[in-house]
Amino acid sequence: GDKRSVLRFHPCVAPITCAIFPLLKNKPDLVNKAKGLASMLRARGFNVLYDEAGTIGKRYRRMDEVGTPFCCTIDFDTLEDDTVT
């Protein structure tokens, strides 16, 4: 298969601290919850990227390539119990 690139940064020097992904971009509840989490983290000083483009696997791969230490996926469980994957 494809050669995979992974870049690693310590969280305090990473250009993007956390990426936020809604599991599905066509579900308004997931999108709104994801955007809300991204806004909350930005307000607390984190460098956050919100991404809903492509499949969830491709989103994680893009973040591996740029060295993002944390990624959070907002899924249907999030809507029930406020947890993220």
Side-chain angles (χ1 to χ4, degrees):
D2 295 333
K3 186 173 181 177
R4 186 170 175 191
S5 298
V6 176
L7 183 61
R8 297 190 194 281
F9 285 110
H10 190 279
C12 68
V13 296
I16 302 168
T17 309
C18 184
I20 308 295
F21 312 134
L23 184 62
L24 300 169
K25 67 181 179 181
N26 63 348
K27 298 291 182 188
D29 291 343
L30 296 176
V31 169
N32 292 335
K33 191 76 158 177
K35 287 182 177 180
L37 177 59
S39 294
M40 181 189 72
L41 291 173
R42 282 187 192 111
R44 294 181 183 194
F46 291 93
N47 293 323
V48 176
L49 177 91
Y50 172 85
D51 186 1
E52 62 182 35
T55 66
I56 196 75
K58 288 181 181 176
R59 293 181 227 170
Y60 273 95
R61 181 171 279 200
R62 282 194 296 269
M63 293 302 100
D64 283 346
E65 290 174 351
V66 297
T68 304
F70 304 106
C71 296
C72 298
T73 299
I74 305 300
D75 58 20
F76 295 103
D77 290 337
T78 305
L79 300 178
E80 293 179 17
D81 58 15
D82 272 343
T83 60
V84 296
T85 303

